[in-house]
Amino acid sequence: MQNRVLLVEDDDELRELLARYLSGQGFTVREAANGRDGLALALGGNCDIVVLDIMLPDINGLEVLRELRRATHLPVVLLTARGDETDRIVGFEVGADDYIPKPCNPRELVARLQAILRRVAWDQKTEMKAERRYGDLRVEPDHRRIYQHDQPLELTATEYEILQVLLAHAGSVVRKTDLMQWALGRRLEAFDRTLDMHMSNLRKKLGGDDSPRIETVRGLGYSYRVPE
C-alpha cells in the first residue's frame, strides 16, 4: 500500500516540484495551496502524514497545526525558513514531529517522511499489547497512548516514541545518538536541536522542572527516573 502524504504549500512551483518527486518515490500525494484547505483535507483522514509550510496566505501553518492537534496525532513535518529557530521551537511546542528548512532538498524530505512512517508502522507491528506501568504513568501500546494519573498525555507521535524509549530503559542512560535513531529514525547531526526541543516539551507535559523525571546526563544522553 502506498503511503499517503498531504502537501500544504502556497508556492505553486515548489509544491508541484515536491509533489512530482514524492510521487516518483512511491507516495500518493494530495495537495493544498492554503491553510484552510490543508486543514480540511488533513481532518478528512485520507493521509498518513502531512508536510506543512508555516508561511501560508490565509491561516499560517502553526495555527493549522494547533487545530490538527486538537483532533488528531497525525504526523506533521514543518517546512520552515532556513535559520528561523523561533518557528522551529514554536512548531515543536505546538506539536510538530519534525521540520525541514526551505529551500528543501526533496531527497532529504523523503528520507524524513520514510523514517517517521517506518517507525509508526514498526511500532504497530511489534509493540507488546499488554499495558505497562511506570510509577504514575500507564502505557497502552495498542492505542499508542500514555496516561499520567489516568489522564491522557497529549503527545505528538514523536514525543510518544521518545518517552516510550526512555520508559523502556528507565533508570539507565539512553545516549542521544541512540535515542535519535530509535525514536526519530535518523542520525544525530551536529547542531541539530530537534531532540532537545522535543525533550523540553516532554518535560513540560510531565509536570515541568518541579519533578525532573527526565534527567540530562551531560555528554551522554537522558535517563528517566520513575517517581517513588
Side-chain angles (χ1 to χ4, degrees):
M1 181 181 296
Q2 288 186 315
N3 288 313
R4 303 167 300 173
V5 58
L6 171 61
L7 182 57
V8 187
E9 166 63 61
D10 67 314
D11 184 320
D12 294 340
E13 184 176 352
L14 176 59
R15 190 180 68 254
E16 291 169 6
L17 183 152
L18 293 177
R20 285 197 302 271
Y21 191 87
L22 290 169
S23 296
Q25 296 299 310
F27 288 87
T28 297
V29 183
R30 302 188 75 182
E31 301 177 40
N34 59 66
R36 288 189 177 86
D37 289 347
L39 180 60
L41 288 171
L43 292 176
N46 293 317
C47 62
D48 302 305
I49 194 165
V50 180
V51 178
L52 177 62
D53 187 22
I54 288 182
M55 299 299 294
L56 294 170
D58 49 356
I59 53 176
N60 68 40
L62 295 176
E63 188 57 37
V64 172
L65 182 55
R66 286 189 183 93
E67 291 297 321
L68 278 177
R69 284 295 168 257
R70 294 188 178 105
T72 178
H73 295 284
L74 190 67
V76 175
V77 176
L78 289 180
L79 294 178
T80 68
R82 186 174 297 277
D84 194 338
E85 188 170 358
T86 300
D87 278 348
R88 294 198 291 271
I89 292 172
V90 174
F92 283 127
E93 290 175 345
V94 173
D97 292 279
D98 204 350
Y99 77 91
I100 188 167
K102 295 171 61 178
C104 67
N105 183 322
R107 185 176 178 183
E108 181 180 0
L109 176 60
V110 167
R112 299 285 184 95
L113 297 177
Q114 289 175 337
I116 293 172
L117 291 168
R118 275 197 308 268
R119 186 189 68 216
V120 172
W122 176 262
D123 287 342
Q124 291 172 344
K125 286 177 60 178
T126 64
E127 277 188 329
M128 294 174 56
K129 299 304 181 183
E131 70 174 37
R132 305 188 294 276
R133 288 185 176 272
Y134 304 86
D136 60 355
L137 296 187
R138 173 166 54 91
V139 182
E140 291 188 352
D142 200 26
H143 300 98
R144 293 180 57 82
R145 299 288 296 184
I146 299 179
Y147 295 79
Q148 184 176 29
H149 299 299
D150 292 324
Q151 297 298 314
L153 290 172
E154 296 301 325
L155 304 177
T156 68
T158 299
E159 289 168 355
Y160 170 86
E161 297 295 341
I162 292 171
L163 184 52
Q164 66 93 14
V165 169
L166 291 174
L167 290 172
H169 298 82
S172 302
V173 178
V174 181
R175 294 179 179 273
K176 291 183 71 172
T177 51
D178 292 336
L179 189 55
M180 192 77 172
Q181 187 67 54
W182 295 340
L184 278 80
R186 58 187 174 87
R187 295 172 56 189
L188 179 66
E189 303 288 347
F191 309 113
D192 187 344
R193 296 193 58 230
T194 302
L195 189 58
D196 300 322
M197 294 174 183
H198 283 304
M199 205 63 68
S200 175
N201 289 337
L202 269 175
R203 285 182 169 126
K204 292 175 184 176
K205 293 179 180 182
L206 289 168
D209 295 330
D210 294 335
S211 179
R213 304 158 182 265
I214 301 176
E215 300 176 346
T216 300
V217 182
R218 190 174 297 276
L220 288 177
Y222 301 96
S223 177
Y224 185 89
R225 178 173 58 83
V226 178
E228 297 180 357

